[in-house]
């Protein structure tokens, strides 16, 4: 009879091999009224609660399983924790918070439904005592692009670069002006093999003799991010105040008049001086002509 009893309730000699069978059996007794949703971004930390309290003494008797969709994440048996390779070194259990698991450095591949199952021994086998699910949504939003001035590759031509990184899915970058797409150069897209996040950059050349307003637009999935770059061509400074214009005009005219007056005074002075010098010369010549005649007439009379 003892032998028959053992055949009816065989012990789980290979718990990991029987794991998925137990999970399927547990799903028959699981009725879910709603799934808790946790929203996080890439590289953040996620805490997923099992919503089940258990004392330290009974922890060694229970079996706790965490799985994501159809793959194992973590298991606790006889008080010992085992983490599957994909989550190793970045996932652990927080026993103080309702058997929560903590996932560090979130990746896009961590998206999915996580299920916690608690089993306890009963009549020689383990029975499901608790099961709950948590939906983890990991976002990877691109930050607002950065536009960098790369200088002048040639005369009257300016080059700028637009770049952003850390998003998903694969992005597309375009340059727009007046809602029309422009011809970009050196557009590159790369993906990190570990995080699966994308980096994109693109360059644009434009004529600096005109005013411009460019839009760098990055599309990824149904979302977009953008940045605006404005360029103003160089113009000499001018004043729009009529009072200042009149002041400048009067100052210029006054300066010209003063210069003409100085030049006129100099010319007048030089002409007057020349006239006086010529007058004196003429008087000297007349005296020379008159004197001999006067002298001769005086001698004759004597």
């Amino acid at each position: 009879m003892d032998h028959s009893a053992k055949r009816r309730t065989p012990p789980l000699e290979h718990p990991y091999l029987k794991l998925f069978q137990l999970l399927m059996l547990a799903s028959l007794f699981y009725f879910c009224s709603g799934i808790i949703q946790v929203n996080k971004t890439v590289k953040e930390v996620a805490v997923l609660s099992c919503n089940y309290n258990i004392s330290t003494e009974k922890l060694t008797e229970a079996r706790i399983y965490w799985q994501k969709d159809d793959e194992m994440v973590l298991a606790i048996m006889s008080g010992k924790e085992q983490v599957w390779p994909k989550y190793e070194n970045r996932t652990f259990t927080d026993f103080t918070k309702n058997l929560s698991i903590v996932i560090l450095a979130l990746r896009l591949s961590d998206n999915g439904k996580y299920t916690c199952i608690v089993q306890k021994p009963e009549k020689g086998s383990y029975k499901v005592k608790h099961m709950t699910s948590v939906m983890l949504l990991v976002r990877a939003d691109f930050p607002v692009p950065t536009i960098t001035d790369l200088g002048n590759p040639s005369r009257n031509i300016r080059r700028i670069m637009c770049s952003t990184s850390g998003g998903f899915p694969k992005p597309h970058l375009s340059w727009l002006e007046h809602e029309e797409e422009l011809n970009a150069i050196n557009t590159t897209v790369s993906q990190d093999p570990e995080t699966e996040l994308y980096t994109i950059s693109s360059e644009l050349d434009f004529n600096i003799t005109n005013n411009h307003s460019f839009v760098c637009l990055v599309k990824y999935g149904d979302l977009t991010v953008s940045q605006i770059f404005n360029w103003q061509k160089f113009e000499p400074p001018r004043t729009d105040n009529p009072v200042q214009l009149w002041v400048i005009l009067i100052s210029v005219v006054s300066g010209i008049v003063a210069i003409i007056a100085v030049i006129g005074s100099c010319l007048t002075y030089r002409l007057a001086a020349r006239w006086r010098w010529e007058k004196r010369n003429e008087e000297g010549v007349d005296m020379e002509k008159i004197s001999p005649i006067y002298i001769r007439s005086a001698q004759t009379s004597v």
Side-chain angles (χ1 to χ4, degrees), residues 54 58-64 76-78 119-120 126:
I54 187 171
K58 293 184 178 181
L59 183 61
T60 56
E61 300 176 359
R63 290 178 178 176
I64 301 154
I76 301 172
M77 302 183 67
S78 301
Q119 296 178 333
K120 289 184 178 181
Y126 281 87

Side-chain angles (χ1 to χ4, degrees), residues 115-135:
T115 302
C116 174
I117 300 172
V118 179
Q119 296 178 333
K120 289 184 178 181
E122 184 178 314
K123 297 180 181 181
S125 64
Y126 281 87
K127 302 293 184 181
V128 175
K129 297 299 181 180
H130 175 77
M131 185 165 67
T132 187
S133 294
V134 181
M135 180 63 70

Side-chain angles (χ1 to χ4, degrees), residues 5 29 128 155 202 218 228:
F29 302 96
V128 175
R155 184 179 180 183
S202 180
V218 178
I228 299 176

